[in-house]
Amino acid sequence: MSVIDAATHTVVENIDVGDGPTCIAITPGGTHAYVTDNASGSVSVMATTVIPDQGSTAGGTRVTITGRHLAGASSVRFGTAPAAITANTDTSLTVTAPAGSGAVPVTVTTAGGTGILGTFYYRPLPALTGISPAAGPLAGSDQEITITGRDLAGATDVYFGPRRAVIQKVSDTHLAVRTPAGVGAPVAGGVTITVFTPGGRAEGPLYTYLGTPAVTGVSPGTGPTTGGTDVSITGTGLAATDQVTFNGVPATFTAVSDTTLIATSPPSGQEGTVDITVTTPGGTATGSFTYVFEPAL
């Protein structure tokens, strides 16, 4: 869920809720918000007096505290640690969270006394350990990509280089994301994955954008219907080939280089020209091969 500044129409904070948030309701007093999570069939309950209510154990999170009779606040504490006050009105305080750990009460002291306005949760710094699949098409894809690590719960943003991915699912050890179709890298190559959580940011494994493959030659271009012909397929973007098929039938193959594959033609029940289809994470390319019957008496 995103918090938007109504004056500038910009996102000032992202808050983790359940999968597929669809609707929000705020209590009459404005102290809590309820978000229905359509995909997970749950309701997220959030206190709106401390936003965000999570941050790094190292401190430094900018936090807005809302309430009444806050003017002239002399102290704000996260647990026992004092927070630096940067702005103060009768209904809100802006503070910088101090370093800390665990869940701590947020207290405000004014001339009228001290009150607890909410709870702040300290989150550890995340770490990334892997990504699967580690490559995809230059134009982006709706294929689900899994990022593994630790302390990923509450992740609010994932970037592939400078491009933001769409988060599908979040757990403490896994993120499922999708790169939006049509929004790929400007050029093929590897980009760094960056994940943002309330505990901080982590940079991890490379994700490789691949250009669409091309097939420019097939030699020999004919072979017997019994199969077994070693065929050299030349082109570009072939090194990451996942599959080669002859008329839809998978063939054994070896990727010699980014420009050459050697595939063995599978048997065919009939003569004729068929498509050779090369499939890579970057897309597909086709060539042709002609099956002929062997001579017989």
Side-chain angles (χ1 to χ4, degrees):
M1 185 183 73
S2 295
V3 180
I4 299 173
D5 186 320
T8 62
H9 303 290
T10 57
V11 175
V12 296
E13 184 65 38
N14 287 317
I15 301 174
D16 179 49
V17 291
D19 291 340
T22 54
C23 298
I24 183 171
I26 299 176
T27 58
T31 59
H32 289 80
Y34 296 84
V35 178
T36 56
D37 306 315
N38 188 55
S40 58
S42 62
V43 175
S44 299
V45 183
M46 297 171 297
T48 58
T49 51
V50 178
I51 297 178
D53 65 353
Q54 304 176 61
S56 169
T57 55
T61 303
R62 182 176 180 269
V63 178
T64 298
I65 302 168
T66 58
R68 300 189 302 274
H69 312 305
L70 304 180
S74 58
S75 172
V76 176
R77 291 183 178 272
F78 284 52
T80 60
I85 300 173
T86 57
N88 187 187
T89 70
D90 191 57
T91 58
S92 72
L93 287 163
T94 302
V95 302
T96 302
S101 62
V104 298
V106 177
T107 58
V108 176
T109 299
T110 69
T114 299
I116 299 176
L117 272 74
T119 301
F120 188 81
Y121 302 88
Y122 283 100
R123 303 298 188 192
L125 193 68
L128 306 182
T129 57
I131 184 170
S132 179
L138 184 63
S141 172
D142 282 337
Q143 180 183 18
E144 192 169 275
I145 296 169
T146 299
I147 299 169
T148 55
R150 62 178 184 274
D151 300 315
L152 303 180
T156 54
D157 282 303
V158 176
Y159 282 84
F160 284 50
R163 286 156 294 279
R164 176 184 264 174
V166 179
I167 300 176
Q168 301 292 313
K169 299 176 184 177
V170 178
S171 74
D172 198 51
T173 57
H174 291 78
L175 297 174
V177 303
R178 292 182 182 177
T179 52
V183 184
V187 294
V191 297
T192 300
I193 303 300
T194 306
V195 174
F196 292 84
T197 76
R201 60 181 285 173
E203 293 186 353
L206 289 179
Y207 179 83
T208 302
Y209 282 102
L210 299 173
T212 304
V215 172
T216 56
V218 174
S219 179
T222 61
T225 55
T226 53
T229 303
D230 288 334
V231 179
S232 176
I233 302 168
T234 55
T236 57
L238 305 180
T241 297
D242 295 321
Q243 186 181 64
V244 177
T245 62
F246 284 61
N247 199 30
V249 179
T252 58
F253 71 92
T254 300
V256 178
S257 68
D258 198 54
T259 59
T260 304
L261 299 172
I262 301 297
T264 302
S265 63
S268 173
Q270 58 185 8
E271 286 188 311
T273 300
V274 300
D275 284 338
I276 297 177
T277 302
V278 175
T279 302
T280 78
T284 61
T286 59
S288 62
F289 182 81
T290 301
Y291 282 103
V292 295
F293 284 125
E294 291 184 316
L297 296 175

